[in-house]
Amino acid sequence: MNTALKSDACAASRLSVAPMMDWTDRHCRYFHRLLSREALLYTEMVTAPALVRGGAVHLLEHDPAEHPVALQLGGSDPAELAEAARLGAAAGYDEINLNCGCPSDRVQSGTFGAVLMNAPERVAECCAAMIGAQPREVTVKCRIGVDEQVPEEVLPRFLEAVAAAGVRRVAIHARKAWLQGLSPKENRDVPPLDYDLVVAMKAAFPGLHISINGGIATLDAARALLARGLDGAMVGRAAYHEPAAILLPADAAIFGRASEMTAEDAALAMLPYIERHLAGEGGRLIQVTRHMLGLFAGRPGARAWRRHLSENGTRPGAGPEVVEAALALVRQAGSQAA
C-alpha cells in the first residue's frame, strides 16, 4: 500500500465533507478546496457498473487542486468493484470508499448502499477484493443499521466483518436507514441520531479509525464529537449550504493550521476556474455557481448574492462578470451595514 497517500487521506479525514449525490461534483469540490486546504473531500457516488460495464471513466475526472480527495463507489459485485477501484486509483484518487449507507430506491434496486447492511459478509468480500486490486486505502461509509435491525447488535458485526477484510477506516452515519416507507430526504432527518452508539463503537474497536456523520450542523458540533474520542467528523448539508461557516475556520480549528482565506478571496479565486470551464466544450456558468450560492450565508448581502447568481447564471453567454457583479452587491451591503 502507498502509505504516503494513505497518511494524507487519513489525516485529512479529521474533518471531511460527505459525498452527496448531485452536489459534490468536481466544481463543488474545487470550490470547497479553496475554503479549506486540509479537509478530506469526497466525490458523489459513482457506480461500479457505470465505470466497468458502461465505460463512463469521464466520471472520474477531477482537478489536481482537489486533493486530498476520495472516490466513493457503489456496487456489490467484488470483481466489478475491484476493477472500479483500480480505475479510481489510476485516476489519482487518494482513497476508495464503498457506499453502504445510501437508502434511495435506485440504489437499492442495484443492491448498492444501505441495503448492504444486511450482508456484512458480502461487504467484506467486496472490500477485500478492492484492497487487493490497487494501492489506495479502501474505506467504508455505512449506517448504524436498516429497517428492523437492532443497531447495537448489527453494527458491531458489520464492523468486525469489514475490519477482518482489511478495512481500517469507517465513516458511520449515526442513523438507521428505513428502506421502505421513508424517502431518501426523510432518511436524512427522521430516524433519530445515536451518537452514543458510534462513540461506543470506537471504544469497542480501538484499532478502527471511526468518523461520525449525520446532523452535524456547525464546526463546534464537529469539535465536540471529536472531543468524545472519535477520529473524524464528516459534515454534509451544512458544509454545502454554509460553506464559509464550516470550511473557512476548519484549517485552524480542526487541523491547527492558520488560513488567511476569506469568502471574498474564494469568490475571486473561482474566476479563473470559471473561465477555464466556460472555455471547455459546453461549459455553463450555472454548473459552477450553483455550488457557491451559500458562500455569504448569514452576512449582509447574502440574499442579493444568491439572487444575482441564480437569475443571471443561466443566461446565454454568462461569465465571470456575473460573479463579480454579485460580489459587488455583497460589498455594498457590507458597507451599508457598517
Side-chain angles (χ1 to χ4, degrees), residues 73-101:
L73 293 176
S76 59
D77 180 84
E80 200 164 57
L81 280 166
E83 177 61 15
R86 188 192 65 76
L87 291 171
Y93 284 95
D94 302 301
E95 170 192 328
I96 312 296
N97 178 266
L98 179 60
N99 184 326
C100 298

PDB file of all heavy atoms in Angstrom, residues 73-101:
ATOM      1  N   LEU A  73     -17.531   4.687  -4.321  1.00  0.00           N
ATOM      2  CA  LEU A  73     -18.088   3.733  -5.272  1.00  0.00           C
ATOM      3  C   LEU A  73     -19.361   3.099  -4.723  1.00  0.00           C
ATOM      4  O   LEU A  73     -19.496   2.912  -3.513  1.00  0.00           O
ATOM      5  CB  LEU A  73     -17.080   2.628  -5.574  1.00  0.00           C
ATOM      6  CG  LEU A  73     -15.815   3.035  -6.325  1.00  0.00           C
ATOM      7  CD1 LEU A  73     -14.880   1.843  -6.449  1.00  0.00           C
ATOM      8  CD2 LEU A  73     -16.151   3.602  -7.712  1.00  0.00           C
ATOM      9  N   GLY A  74     -20.260   2.755  -5.627  1.00  0.00           N
ATOM     10  CA  GLY A  74     -21.440   1.976  -5.289  1.00  0.00           C
ATOM     11  C   GLY A  74     -21.403   0.666  -6.045  1.00  0.00           C
ATOM     12  O   GLY A  74     -21.048   0.632  -7.221  1.00  0.00           O
ATOM     13  N   GLY A  75     -21.764  -0.415  -5.379  1.00  0.00           N
ATOM     14  CA  GLY A  75     -21.783  -1.704  -6.035  1.00  0.00           C
ATOM     15  C   GLY A  75     -21.831  -2.822  -5.021  1.00  0.00           C
ATOM     16  O   GLY A  75     -21.767  -2.589  -3.811  1.00  0.00           O
ATOM     17  N   SER A  76     -21.944  -4.044  -5.509  1.00  0.00           N
ATOM     18  CA  SER A  76     -21.986  -5.200  -4.611  1.00  0.00           C
ATOM     19  C   SER A  76     -21.306  -6.415  -5.212  1.00  0.00           C
ATOM     20  O   SER A  76     -21.305  -7.481  -4.605  1.00  0.00           O
ATOM     21  CB  SER A  76     -23.435  -5.548  -4.249  1.00  0.00           C
ATOM     22  OG  SER A  76     -24.192  -5.844  -5.414  1.00  0.00           O
ATOM     23  N   ASP A  77     -20.719  -6.267  -6.394  1.00  0.00           N
ATOM     24  CA  ASP A  77     -20.009  -7.368  -7.032  1.00  0.00           C
ATOM     25  C   ASP A  77     -18.514  -7.198  -6.771  1.00  0.00           C
ATOM     26  O   ASP A  77     -17.930  -6.203  -7.204  1.00  0.00           O
ATOM     27  CB  ASP A  77     -20.282  -7.384  -8.530  1.00  0.00           C
ATOM     28  CG  ASP A  77     -19.546  -8.516  -9.220  1.00  0.00           C
ATOM     29  OD1 ASP A  77     -20.067  -9.642  -9.235  1.00  0.00           O
ATOM     30  OD2 ASP A  77     -18.430  -8.272  -9.720  1.00  0.00           O
ATOM     31  N   PRO A  78     -17.885  -8.126  -6.073  1.00  0.00           N
ATOM     32  CA  PRO A  78     -16.480  -7.949  -5.707  1.00  0.00           C
ATOM     33  C   PRO A  78     -15.555  -7.716  -6.890  1.00  0.00           C
ATOM     34  O   PRO A  78     -14.690  -6.821  -6.842  1.00  0.00           O
ATOM     35  CB  PRO A  78     -16.147  -9.252  -4.971  1.00  0.00           C
ATOM     36  CG  PRO A  78     -17.453  -9.725  -4.427  1.00  0.00           C
ATOM     37  CD  PRO A  78     -18.460  -9.344  -5.460  1.00  0.00           C
ATOM     38  N   ALA A  79     -15.713  -8.491  -7.962  1.00  0.00           N
ATOM     39  CA  ALA A  79     -14.822  -8.343  -9.116  1.00  0.00           C
ATOM     40  C   ALA A  79     -15.023  -6.992  -9.790  1.00  0.00           C
ATOM     41  O   ALA A  79     -14.058  -6.328 -10.197  1.00  0.00           O
ATOM     42  CB  ALA A  79     -15.063  -9.481 -10.109  1.00  0.00           C
ATOM     43  N   GLU A  80     -16.281  -6.582  -9.898  1.00  0.00           N
ATOM     44  CA  GLU A  80     -16.579  -5.302 -10.537  1.00  0.00           C
ATOM     45  C   GLU A  80     -16.072  -4.144  -9.690  1.00  0.00           C
ATOM     46  O   GLU A  80     -15.496  -3.179 -10.219  1.00  0.00           O
ATOM     47  CB  GLU A  80     -18.095  -5.194 -10.752  1.00  0.00           C
ATOM     48  CG  GLU A  80     -18.498  -4.182 -11.798  1.00  0.00           C
ATOM     49  CD  GLU A  80     -19.928  -4.410 -12.237  1.00  0.00           C
ATOM     50  OE1 GLU A  80     -20.840  -4.392 -11.374  1.00  0.00           O
ATOM     51  OE2 GLU A  80     -20.144  -4.634 -13.435  1.00  0.00           O
ATOM     52  N   LEU A  81     -16.271  -4.214  -8.391  1.00  0.00           N
ATOM     53  CA  LEU A  81     -15.764  -3.177  -7.503  1.00  0.00           C
ATOM     54  C   LEU A  81     -14.243  -3.136  -7.509  1.00  0.00           C
ATOM     55  O   LEU A  81     -13.641  -2.059  -7.422  1.00  0.00           O
ATOM     56  CB  LEU A  81     -16.292  -3.389  -6.087  1.00  0.00           C
ATOM     57  CG  LEU A  81     -17.714  -2.896  -5.834  1.00  0.00           C
ATOM     58  CD1 LEU A  81     -18.256  -3.465  -4.529  1.00  0.00           C
ATOM     59  CD2 LEU A  81     -17.767  -1.364  -5.808  1.00  0.00           C
ATOM     60  N   ALA A  82     -13.609  -4.284  -7.594  1.00  0.00           N
ATOM     61  CA  ALA A  82     -12.148  -4.314  -7.654  1.00  0.00           C
ATOM     62  C   ALA A  82     -11.644  -3.580  -8.886  1.00  0.00           C
ATOM     63  O   ALA A  82     -10.696  -2.785  -8.814  1.00  0.00           O
ATOM     64  CB  ALA A  82     -11.658  -5.762  -7.659  1.00  0.00           C
ATOM     65  N   GLU A  83     -12.290  -3.821 -10.032  1.00  0.00           N
ATOM     66  CA  GLU A  83     -11.886  -3.132 -11.247  1.00  0.00           C
ATOM     67  C   GLU A  83     -12.172  -1.637 -11.169  1.00  0.00           C
ATOM     68  O   GLU A  83     -11.364  -0.807 -11.597  1.00  0.00           O
ATOM     69  CB  GLU A  83     -12.594  -3.748 -12.463  1.00  0.00           C
ATOM     70  CG  GLU A  83     -12.309  -3.053 -13.789  1.00  0.00           C
ATOM     71  CD  GLU A  83     -10.840  -3.057 -14.185  1.00  0.00           C
ATOM     72  OE1 GLU A  83     -10.050  -3.833 -13.600  1.00  0.00           O
ATOM     73  OE2 GLU A  83     -10.476  -2.268 -15.072  1.00  0.00           O
ATOM     74  N   ALA A  84     -13.322  -1.275 -10.597  1.00  0.00           N
ATOM     75  CA  ALA A  84     -13.654   0.145 -10.428  1.00  0.00           C
ATOM     76  C   ALA A  84     -12.651   0.824  -9.504  1.00  0.00           C
ATOM     77  O   ALA A  84     -12.241   1.960  -9.740  1.00  0.00           O
ATOM     78  CB  ALA A  84     -15.073   0.290  -9.896  1.00  0.00           C
ATOM     79  N   ALA A  85     -12.266   0.139  -8.438  1.00  0.00           N
ATOM     80  CA  ALA A  85     -11.274   0.691  -7.521  1.00  0.00           C
ATOM     81  C   ALA A  85      -9.940   0.874  -8.222  1.00  0.00           C
ATOM     82  O   ALA A  85      -9.237   1.882  -8.017  1.00  0.00           O
ATOM     83  CB  ALA A  85     -11.112  -0.230  -6.312  1.00  0.00           C
ATOM     84  N   ARG A  86      -9.573  -0.081  -9.070  1.00  0.00           N
ATOM     85  CA  ARG A  86      -8.323   0.041  -9.819  1.00  0.00           C
ATOM     86  C   ARG A  86      -8.369   1.262 -10.736  1.00  0.00           C
ATOM     87  O   ARG A  86      -7.398   2.020 -10.845  1.00  0.00           O
ATOM     88  CB  ARG A  86      -8.080  -1.230 -10.636  1.00  0.00           C
ATOM     89  CG  ARG A  86      -6.708  -1.280 -11.288  1.00  0.00           C
ATOM     90  CD  ARG A  86      -6.632  -2.392 -12.310  1.00  0.00           C
ATOM     91  NE  ARG A  86      -7.526  -2.164 -13.442  1.00  0.00           N
ATOM     92  CZ  ARG A  86      -7.272  -1.294 -14.420  1.00  0.00           C
ATOM     93  NH1 ARG A  86      -6.167  -0.545 -14.398  1.00  0.00           N
ATOM     94  NH2 ARG A  86      -8.130  -1.151 -15.401  1.00  0.00           N
ATOM     95  N   LEU A  87      -9.500   1.471 -11.376  1.00  0.00           N
ATOM     96  CA  LEU A  87      -9.657   2.644 -12.239  1.00  0.00           C
ATOM     97  C   LEU A  87      -9.556   3.935 -11.428  1.00  0.00           C
ATOM     98  O   LEU A  87      -8.954   4.923 -11.868  1.00  0.00           O
ATOM     99  CB  LEU A  87     -10.993   2.578 -12.977  1.00  0.00           C
ATOM    100  CG  LEU A  87     -11.132   1.487 -14.043  1.00  0.00           C
ATOM    101  CD1 LEU A  87     -12.584   1.396 -14.519  1.00  0.00           C
ATOM    102  CD2 LEU A  87     -10.202   1.764 -15.214  1.00  0.00           C
ATOM    103  N   GLY A  88     -10.175   3.930 -10.230  1.00  0.00           N
ATOM    104  CA  GLY A  88     -10.105   5.113  -9.381  1.00  0.00           C
ATOM    105  C   GLY A  88      -8.696   5.419  -8.927  1.00  0.00           C
ATOM    106  O   GLY A  88      -8.272   6.581  -8.892  1.00  0.00           O
ATOM    107  N   ALA A  89      -7.954   4.379  -8.577  1.00  0.00           N
ATOM    108  CA  ALA A  89      -6.564   4.583  -8.171  1.00  0.00           C
ATOM    109  C   ALA A  89      -5.738   5.105  -9.336  1.00  0.00           C
ATOM    110  O   ALA A  89      -4.914   6.011  -9.175  1.00  0.00           O
ATOM    111  CB  ALA A  89      -5.988   3.276  -7.641  1.00  0.00           C
ATOM    112  N   ALA A  90      -5.963   4.556 -10.529  1.00  0.00           N
ATOM    113  CA  ALA A  90      -5.232   5.006 -11.711  1.00  0.00           C
ATOM    114  C   ALA A  90      -5.556   6.455 -12.041  1.00  0.00           C
ATOM    115  O   ALA A  90      -4.707   7.192 -12.568  1.00  0.00           O
ATOM    116  CB  ALA A  90      -5.564   4.100 -12.902  1.00  0.00           C
ATOM    117  N   ALA A  91      -6.775   6.884 -11.712  1.00  0.00           N
ATOM    118  CA  ALA A  91      -7.167   8.277 -11.947  1.00  0.00           C
ATOM    119  C   ALA A  91      -6.565   9.226 -10.921  1.00  0.00           C
ATOM    120  O   ALA A  91      -6.661  10.448 -11.080  1.00  0.00           O
ATOM    121  CB  ALA A  91      -8.684   8.392 -11.942  1.00  0.00           C
ATOM    122  N   GLY A  92      -5.978   8.671  -9.839  1.00  0.00           N
ATOM    123  CA  GLY A  92      -5.264   9.509  -8.886  1.00  0.00           C
ATOM    124  C   GLY A  92      -5.971   9.801  -7.589  1.00  0.00           C
ATOM    125  O   GLY A  92      -5.493  10.614  -6.800  1.00  0.00           O
ATOM    126  N   TYR A  93      -7.100   9.135  -7.308  1.00  0.00           N
ATOM    127  CA  TYR A  93      -7.797   9.393  -6.053  1.00  0.00           C
ATOM    128  C   TYR A  93      -6.978   8.874  -4.869  1.00  0.00           C
ATOM    129  O   TYR A  93      -6.260   7.881  -4.967  1.00  0.00           O
ATOM    130  CB  TYR A  93      -9.194   8.762  -6.072  1.00  0.00           C
ATOM    131  CG  TYR A  93     -10.158   9.551  -6.917  1.00  0.00           C
ATOM    132  CD1 TYR A  93     -10.382   9.215  -8.249  1.00  0.00           C
ATOM    133  CD2 TYR A  93     -10.808  10.673  -6.401  1.00  0.00           C
ATOM    134  CE1 TYR A  93     -11.239   9.964  -9.038  1.00  0.00           C
ATOM    135  CE2 TYR A  93     -11.668  11.423  -7.192  1.00  0.00           C
ATOM    136  CZ  TYR A  93     -11.884  11.064  -8.501  1.00  0.00           C
ATOM    137  OH  TYR A  93     -12.728  11.821  -9.286  1.00  0.00           O
ATOM    138  N   ASP A  94      -7.104   9.557  -3.742  1.00  0.00           N
ATOM    139  CA  ASP A  94      -6.320   9.246  -2.560  1.00  0.00           C
ATOM    140  C   ASP A  94      -6.935   8.146  -1.712  1.00  0.00           C
ATOM    141  O   ASP A  94      -6.260   7.578  -0.850  1.00  0.00           O
ATOM    142  CB  ASP A  94      -6.169  10.510  -1.690  1.00  0.00           C
ATOM    143  CG  ASP A  94      -5.509  11.643  -2.444  1.00  0.00           C
ATOM    144  OD1 ASP A  94      -4.384  11.455  -2.908  1.00  0.00           O
ATOM    145  OD2 ASP A  94      -6.138  12.716  -2.579  1.00  0.00           O
ATOM    146  N   GLU A  95      -8.198   7.869  -1.921  1.00  0.00           N
ATOM    147  CA  GLU A  95      -8.932   6.883  -1.132  1.00  0.00           C
ATOM    148  C   GLU A  95     -10.062   6.352  -1.988  1.00  0.00           C
ATOM    149  O   GLU A  95     -10.604   7.070  -2.830  1.00  0.00           O
ATOM    150  CB  GLU A  95      -9.499   7.552   0.135  1.00  0.00           C
ATOM    151  CG  GLU A  95     -10.485   6.725   0.936  1.00  0.00           C
ATOM    152  CD  GLU A  95     -11.213   7.570   1.991  1.00  0.00           C
ATOM    153  OE1 GLU A  95     -10.617   8.521   2.517  1.00  0.00           O
ATOM    154  OE2 GLU A  95     -12.383   7.279   2.263  1.00  0.00           O
ATOM    155  N   ILE A  96     -10.420   5.098  -1.779  1.00  0.00           N
ATOM    156  CA  ILE A  96     -11.572   4.491  -2.442  1.00  0.00           C
ATOM    157  C   ILE A  96     -12.560   4.079  -1.357  1.00  0.00           C
ATOM    158  O   ILE A  96     -12.236   3.282  -0.481  1.00  0.00           O
ATOM    159  CB  ILE A  96     -11.185   3.253  -3.272  1.00  0.00           C
ATOM    160  CG1 ILE A  96      -9.966   3.539  -4.177  1.00  0.00           C
ATOM    161  CG2 ILE A  96     -12.380   2.789  -4.091  1.00  0.00           C
ATOM    162  CD1 ILE A  96     -10.200   4.577  -5.239  1.00  0.00           C
ATOM    163  N   ASN A  97     -13.775   4.630  -1.409  1.00  0.00           N
ATOM    164  CA  ASN A  97     -14.771   4.413  -0.370  1.00  0.00           C
ATOM    165  C   ASN A  97     -15.939   3.606  -0.926  1.00  0.00           C
ATOM    166  O   ASN A  97     -16.414   3.865  -2.038  1.00  0.00           O
ATOM    167  CB  ASN A  97     -15.271   5.764   0.163  1.00  0.00           C
ATOM    168  CG  ASN A  97     -16.354   5.629   1.210  1.00  0.00           C
ATOM    169  OD1 ASN A  97     -17.538   5.670   0.905  1.00  0.00           O
ATOM    170  ND2 ASN A  97     -15.941   5.462   2.453  1.00  0.00           N
ATOM    171  N   LEU A  98     -16.416   2.647  -0.155  1.00  0.00           N
ATOM    172  CA  LEU A  98     -17.577   1.843  -0.555  1.00  0.00           C
ATOM    173  C   LEU A  98     -18.821   2.348   0.162  1.00  0.00           C
ATOM    174  O   LEU A  98     -18.862   2.419   1.391  1.00  0.00           O
ATOM    175  CB  LEU A  98     -17.356   0.369  -0.227  1.00  0.00           C
ATOM    176  CG  LEU A  98     -18.517  -0.579  -0.567  1.00  0.00           C
ATOM    177  CD1 LEU A  98     -18.834  -0.553  -2.056  1.00  0.00           C
ATOM    178  CD2 LEU A  98     -18.216  -1.995  -0.113  1.00  0.00           C
ATOM    179  N   ASN A  99     -19.844   2.675  -0.610  1.00  0.00           N
ATOM    180  CA  ASN A  99     -21.097   3.203  -0.069  1.00  0.00           C
ATOM    181  C   ASN A  99     -21.963   2.068   0.462  1.00  0.00           C
ATOM    182  O   ASN A  99     -22.451   1.229  -0.294  1.00  0.00           O
ATOM    183  CB  ASN A  99     -21.848   3.968  -1.172  1.00  0.00           C
ATOM    184  CG  ASN A  99     -23.119   4.630  -0.683  1.00  0.00           C
ATOM    185  OD1 ASN A  99     -23.803   4.124   0.195  1.00  0.00           O
ATOM    186  ND2 ASN A  99     -23.436   5.780  -1.250  1.00  0.00           N
ATOM    187  N   CYS A 100     -22.161   2.059   1.775  1.00  0.00           N
ATOM    188  CA  CYS A 100     -23.089   1.121   2.416  1.00  0.00           C
ATOM    189  C   CYS A 100     -24.115   1.899   3.233  1.00  0.00           C
ATOM    190  O   CYS A 100     -24.580   1.428   4.278  1.00  0.00           O
ATOM    191  CB  CYS A 100     -22.338   0.142   3.319  1.00  0.00           C
ATOM    192  SG  CYS A 100     -21.165  -0.912   2.462  1.00  0.00           S
ATOM    193  N   GLY A 101     -24.474   3.094   2.769  1.00  0.00           N
ATOM    194  CA  GLY A 101     -25.359   3.930   3.556  1.00  0.00           C
ATOM    195  C   GLY A 101     -26.481   4.608   2.809  1.00  0.00           C
ATOM    196  O   GLY A 101     -27.448   5.068   3.423  1.00  0.00           O
TER     197      GLY A 101
END
